[in-house]
């Protein structure tokens, strides 16, 4: 009886079987495994030549999600909602750089693409480029490292230190179940884009971006109104050239606009939020209101939903977006009582909840997060649930369909 050592490039916890007809079929779940087989040939006795071994890599290949938005547009808030859907808290790597931008939870690792700035703050100043300019970012390294993580290989990722403006020594990133790459350019480079299992763009209109910046940078960071205006203006050409065009590639876009319920509103407090969902995306079925594919306008205010001025209006319709067929769900206005959201939730379908009222429960749990009383919080929560569903479907499909171990 021969003893064969089988090496596969699959990660630990892959489930592998020998599938050549006539040979003993064995299941194993280790990267390197020794097994007994009366007829194992040369091909399986040296590293990498495992052509007759098939492995289903349940839980072993990382699902990669991209989240793009300009700075100050709600990425961190969205990430907190997403991580919460999977349970457990997200924290910076233990014992690592206190200025790390990474957040790790049981299921997810969120890395910030600012870490791929190739020019530090001084370098950008000297060259006269902004952080939004592709020349200030290392897309080759971004691609190589995201690809490696997706394949189950740990990487030493650089850290951009927002406190000092310098590039710090790298940190180790181990492959998680779900990797979220968030930042300015997750969909800019086609190679990186092709690695994404799902992508989201937060499209915050200029008026709203300005209102949020004022709220945060004036109230919390002591910046003047003039300096906030100047910073938005200075970023705008590069934002238009390099960041905004990425929305055409997104599977879901959350568009945030001033309300249409108050004529000429420019306060940016009441919001009209549109969830634009691409049709035909694998493992993703768009949410709908009442009747899939119909055009609906719904004012739910009345006996079941308390609405003060200016009220709440929902809309749902098919549309096209950059030449793609999409479904658009829209909410204008804000909730007075968050617990009454259950009434709205019960009229939405395909929301990928695991139990009745899960959206409402998530929203109530994070009632203190920005946007919890309007469509930003609602749609971020729903997209979080859709990502959980997508992840579970990908895992299930891999468990069902064995893939041949790579040489
Ligand atoms: N849905 C929302 N409704 C109202 N304000 C919001 C919302 N989302 C974010 N904000 C405002 O924008 C600020 C920035 O949000 P957040 O930190 O989530 O954005 P970010 O994109 O991660 O920012 P940065 O890239 O600068 O770290 C918040 O402090 C808040 O003032
Ligand atoms: O657009 C940004 C992404 O968050 C930042 O402006 C960029 O990362 C540069 O950071 P800093 O201003 O801290 O040097």
């Amino acid at each position: 009886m021969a003893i064969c050592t089988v090496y596969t490039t699959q990660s630990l916890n892959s489930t592998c079987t020998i599938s050549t007809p006539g040979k003993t079929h064995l299941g194993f779940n280790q990267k390197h495994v020794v097994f007994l087989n009366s007829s194992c040939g040369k091909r399986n006795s040296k590293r990498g030549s495992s052509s007759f071994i098939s492995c289903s890599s349940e839980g072993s290949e990382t699902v990669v999600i991209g989240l793009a938005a300009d700075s100050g547009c709600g990425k961190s808030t969205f990430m907190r909602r997403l991580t919460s859907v999977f349970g457990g808290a997200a924290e910076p790597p233990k014992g690592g750089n206190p200025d790390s931008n990474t957040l790790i939870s049981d299921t997810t690792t969120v890395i910030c693409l600012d870490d791929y700035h190739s020019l530090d703050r001084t370098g950008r100043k000297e060259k006269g480029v902004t952080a939004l300019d592709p020349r200030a970012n290392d897309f080759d390294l971004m691609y190589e490292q995201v690809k490696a993580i997706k394949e189950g290989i740990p990487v030493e990722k650089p850290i951009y230190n927002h406190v000092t403006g310098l590039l710090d020594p790298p940190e180790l990133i181990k492959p998680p179940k779900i990797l979220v790459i968030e930042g300015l350019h997750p969909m800019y480079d086609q190679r990186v884009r092709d690695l994404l299992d799902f992508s989201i763009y937060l499209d915050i209109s200029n008026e709203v971006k300005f209102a949020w910046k004022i709220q945060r940078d004036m109230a919390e960071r002591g910046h003047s109104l003039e300096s906030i205006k100047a910073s938005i203006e200075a970023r705008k050409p590069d934002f238009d050239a390099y960041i905004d065009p990425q929305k055409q590639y997104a599977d879901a876009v959350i568009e945030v606009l001033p309300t249409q319920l108050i004529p000429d509103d420019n306060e940016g407090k009441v919001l009209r939020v549109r969830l634009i969902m691409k049709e035909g995306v694998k493992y993703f079925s768009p949410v709908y209101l009442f009747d899939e594919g119909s055009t609906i306008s719904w004012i739910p205010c009345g006996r079941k939903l308390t609405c003060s001025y200016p009220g709440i209006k929902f809309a749902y319709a098919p549309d096209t977006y950059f030449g793609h067929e999409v479904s658009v769900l829209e909410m204008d206005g804000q909730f007075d009582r968050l617990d009454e959201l259950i009434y709205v939730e019960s009229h939405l379908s395909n929301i990928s909840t695991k139990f009745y009222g899960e959206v409402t429960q998530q929203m109530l749990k994070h009632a203190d997060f920005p946007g919890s009383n309007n469509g930003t919080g609602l749609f971020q929560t729903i997209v979080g649930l859709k990502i959980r569903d997508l992840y579970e479907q990908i895992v299930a499909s891999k468990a069902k369909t064995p893939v041949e171990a790579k040489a």
Side-chain angles (χ1 to χ4, degrees):
M1 194 170 269
I3 297 176
C4 301
T5 304
V6 177
Y7 296 96
T8 83
T9 52
Q10 302 293 312
S11 308
L12 280 171
N13 299 325
S14 299
T15 302
C16 304
T17 50
I18 310 301
S19 54
T20 306
K23 285 197 163 67
T24 312
H25 285 241
L26 293 176
F28 55 92
N29 66 351
Q30 292 295 311
K31 187 163 194 167
H32 300 156
V33 71
V34 178
F35 67 94
L36 301 177
N37 183 335
S38 58
S39 56
C40 53
K42 273 188 183 165
R43 283 190 311 159
N44 66 348
S45 62
K46 70 178 201 304
R47 188 182 181 94
S49 56
S50 49
S51 59
F52 62 90
I53 299 164
S54 60
C55 298
S56 76
S57 44
E58 181 173 6
S60 68
E61 195 182 288
T62 296
V63 170
V64 186
I65 309 293
L67 173 67
D70 197 3
S71 159
C73 287
K75 296 186 295 295
S76 314
T77 311
F78 185 14
M79 281 305 105
R80 288 195 288 161
R81 288 190 197 279
L82 174 69
T83 317
S84 160
V85 163
F86 288 96
E91 285 166 359
K94 285 202 174 64
N97 186 330
D99 296 327
S100 165
N101 302 307
T102 302
L103 285 174
I104 300 176
S105 74
D106 289 346
T107 317
T108 60
T109 291
V110 181
I111 62 172
C112 174
L113 296 179
D114 293 351
D115 288 334
Y116 293 99
H117 288 336
S118 50
L119 296 174
D120 63 11
R121 204 174 282 158
T122 313
R124 291 195 301 269
K125 209 169 174 191
E126 281 168 4
K127 290 220 160 51
V129 293
T130 70
L132 300 92
D133 191 317
R135 288 172 295 173
N137 296 279
D138 188 344
F139 287 101
D140 291 343
L141 186 64
M142 190 191 294
Y143 165 63
E144 280 160 25
Q145 296 204 331
V146 175
K147 182 169 180 284
I149 295 174
K150 193 173 167 93
E151 289 170 356
I153 302 162
V155 300
E156 290 280 345
K157 181 189 61 55
I159 299 175
Y160 176 72
N161 188 320
H162 280 279
V163 180
T164 61
L166 298 171
L167 290 159
D168 282 354
E171 63 186 356
L172 179 70
I173 303 291
K174 291 185 195 152
K177 290 180 180 155
I178 301 176
L179 175 75
V180 183
I181 57 170
E182 62 95 351
L184 298 171
H185 306 98
M187 283 99 90
Y188 180 81
D189 183 291
Q190 195 192 333
R191 296 167 303 169
V192 180
R193 199 159 70 226
D194 288 347
L195 294 171
L196 301 176
D197 293 290
F198 194 74
S199 54
I200 306 126
Y201 185 88
L202 300 182
D203 188 6
I204 315 300
S205 65
N206 286 335
E207 299 92 323
V208 176
K209 203 189 279 189
F210 188 52
W212 287 2
K213 274 260 178 207
I214 290 176
Q215 186 187 317
R216 182 179 74 171
D217 294 354
M218 256 177 102
E220 297 168 22
R221 300 187 178 176
H223 296 186
S224 70
L225 188 62
E226 283 317 307
S227 74
I228 296 168
K229 267 189 196 161
S231 128
I232 292 181
E233 283 311 311
R235 290 172 73 94
K236 199 160 181 324
D238 282 354
F239 174 78
D240 291 344
Y242 308 120
I243 312 304
D244 196 54
Q246 292 176 92
K247 63 190 179 194
Q248 67 188 290
Y249 305 117
D251 298 317
V253 175
I254 299 180
E255 198 175 84
V256 185
L257 304 151
T259 182
Q260 287 183 336
L261 300 174
I262 306 171
D264 302 321
D265 176 74
N266 53 13
E267 271 193 59
K269 285 204 175 116
V270 182
L271 301 173
R272 173 178 166 232
V273 188
R274 304 176 80 228
L275 174 58
I276 302 165
M277 299 161 280
K278 221 179 238 177
E279 298 287 346
V281 175
K282 205 170 178 193
Y283 306 121
F284 173 72
S285 50
V287 177
Y288 64 90
L289 179 63
F290 295 116
D291 183 27
E292 192 168 16
S294 300
T295 297
I296 312 270
S297 176
W298 183 41
I299 297 175
C301 304
R303 293 192 188 155
K304 306 261 176 63
L305 203 73
T306 317
C307 297
S308 54
Y309 180 81
I312 299 178
K313 190 172 173 186
F314 278 87
Y316 163 73
D319 204 344
T320 52
Y321 187 76
F322 291 99
H324 295 287
E325 275 186 38
V326 294
S327 286
V328 183
L329 179 65
E330 179 177 317
M331 175 184 165
D332 197 348
Q334 54 195 33
F335 301 109
D336 278 1
R337 292 190 43 182
L338 209 43
D339 54 340
E340 291 176 348
L341 172 61
I342 188 75
Y343 178 64
V344 172
E345 180 177 351
S346 65
H347 289 83
L348 293 169
S349 299
N350 264 354
I351 44 178
S352 299
T353 46
K354 287 199 192 279
F355 54 88
Y356 179 73
E358 192 178 10
V359 171
T360 307
Q361 189 201 61
Q362 280 292 330
M363 290 282 282
L364 284 167
K365 199 162 136 193
H366 302 299
D368 56 330
F369 285 7
S372 287
N373 65 345
N374 63 37
T376 59
L378 175 62
F379 294 161
Q380 287 179 3
T381 301
I382 290 176
V383 172
L385 294 169
K386 299 300 293 182
I387 289 174
R388 181 183 66 187
D389 186 43
L390 175 120
Y391 165 73
E392 288 174 356
Q393 287 187 60
I394 292 176
V395 168
S397 80
K398 280 185 185 151
K400 261 195 236 142
T401 324
V403 289
E404 195 165 299
K406 292 173 194 157

